Amino acid sequence: MRRSLYLTSSALLAITLVWAAAAAPALAQPHADRVNVNDNGLTCFNGYAYTRKGGDYRYTEHHEVRRSHGRITTWNVTYIGTHGQVIARKHMNFSANPTVPTYRMVMPKSGYAEGIRHHNGRWTMFKRESADAKTQTKAFTIDEPMAADSGFNPLVQQHFDDLNSGQTFTFNFVVAGRQSVLDLKAYKTGNTTFEGRPAVNFKVELNMFLIGNFVPSLKLTYDPRTERLLEYRGIGNMHNDQGKVYPVRVRYDRQMPAVAKAHGAPAARCGSTAASAS
């Protein structure tokens, strides 16, 4: 397939991979204080986001993931800001593809929206800068291995053993926020610990000679036993006051940090954001 050749630093900065929201943990043997599983088949958990520079708390991601026969079917994420307000909502559906979900993310304050549609076999990414702006669209085709948004993590899990053993994995990634498909590579950078437990570090960057040396990479920390994402460091998918995405560090802690609780973060339990204002 034809890939975008306009790969400046802004292109990678826009990988709203939501990598933070790409935190689709394996959820095998979850810690009771990290996730909540209800009787309706939902698994729920939080991620806590801080600025990379200065470490200031910015928002909490509240995830609610539904599975059927072990496979993710739907996934909702609510982003709660420093005053307990909803700053974005996202709904994903994995029925058409296990790693490229159809989705729609909306930021109510600005009216910004982005996502992916699938109809009659045709895939389209879309983006709208504000509530009164024209929606941009671009068609793309599934070129495996491929992921979009939070489908990144199921893709990592499919290749986790190879990555953990030191192999480099290349894949295509759909970035609706930039109307592009990027050629990326992931590889292991070493072992570490997280909350006193063994963990592994992976890096994701552009799979292009030289260019990859001039654009920011994404750094991910995983639990090698459960394949759960523990921490993400890189460009986030929320906007600052200037309407730009910015670098964040998102941690999926076992317990809610005091700073998040003080700023009105929702509990990790399922349904904790249902009554939040949109």
Side-chain angles (χ1 to χ4, degrees), residues 58-256:
R58 282 292 177 263
Y59 57 86
T60 287
E61 309 165 352
H62 178 71
H63 299 255
E64 300 201 352
V65 184
R66 188 180 300 278
R67 284 176 168 77
S68 178
H69 304 292
R71 175 175 167 172
I72 297 173
T73 56
T74 61
W75 190 341
N76 293 317
V77 187
T78 306
Y79 300 82
I80 305 295
T82 54
H83 301 290
Q85 80 281 20
V86 173
I87 56 178
R89 290 188 186 275
K90 179 169 58 178
H91 173 73
M92 292 168 279
N93 188 301
F94 289 79
S95 60
N97 189 287
T99 59
V100 182
T102 57
Y103 79 94
R104 178 179 176 85
M105 182 179 76
V106 177
M107 298 181 183
K109 182 177 180 180
S110 66
Y112 176 89
E114 68 170 61
I116 292 175
R117 303 186 183 107
H118 177 248
H119 182 66
N120 290 335
R122 179 180 174 87
W123 291 86
T124 307
M125 63 183 95
F126 67 89
K127 172 189 175 183
R128 184 186 69 194
E129 291 288 358
S130 62
D132 56 356
K134 182 179 178 180
T135 299
Q136 305 171 49
T137 62
K138 185 175 182 178
F140 67 95
T141 57
I142 300 296
D143 187 10
E144 303 287 3
M146 185 177 235
D149 206 82
S150 297
F152 169 74
N153 202 73
L155 187 66
V156 167
Q157 291 170 357
Q158 292 175 11
H159 300 271
F160 196 91
D161 289 343
D162 290 340
L163 281 169
N164 198 27
S165 67
Q167 297 185 40
T168 297
F169 171 58
T170 61
F171 61 100
N172 298 305
F173 191 79
V174 184
V175 189
R178 281 293 176 197
Q179 299 285 280
S180 300
V181 175
L182 302 184
D183 184 7
L184 303 179
K185 63 181 178 181
Y187 56 93
K188 183 178 179 179
T189 58
N191 298 309
T192 185
T193 59
F194 185 90
E195 296 183 331
R197 298 169 181 263
V200 295
N201 286 331
F202 297 147
K203 180 182 285 189
V204 180
E205 59 190 14
L206 284 171
N207 186 32
M208 296 188 70
F209 182 64
L210 293 181
I211 291 181
N213 295 326
F214 298 97
V215 296
S217 60
L218 308 176
K219 299 178 182 178
L220 310 169
T221 300
Y222 275 83
D223 183 325
R225 182 178 62 87
T226 64
E227 301 175 8
R228 179 189 304 280
L229 181 63
L230 301 172
E231 184 177 76
Y232 159 86
R233 286 166 286 171
I235 291 300
N237 58 336
M238 293 298 99
H239 295 173
N240 59 21
D241 292 339
Q242 290 72 47
K244 305 295 184 181
V245 292
Y246 55 93
V248 292
R249 174 174 59 92
V250 183
R251 291 175 55 96
Y252 298 87
D253 293 302
R254 291 167 59 86
Q255 296 182 353
M256 181 183 294

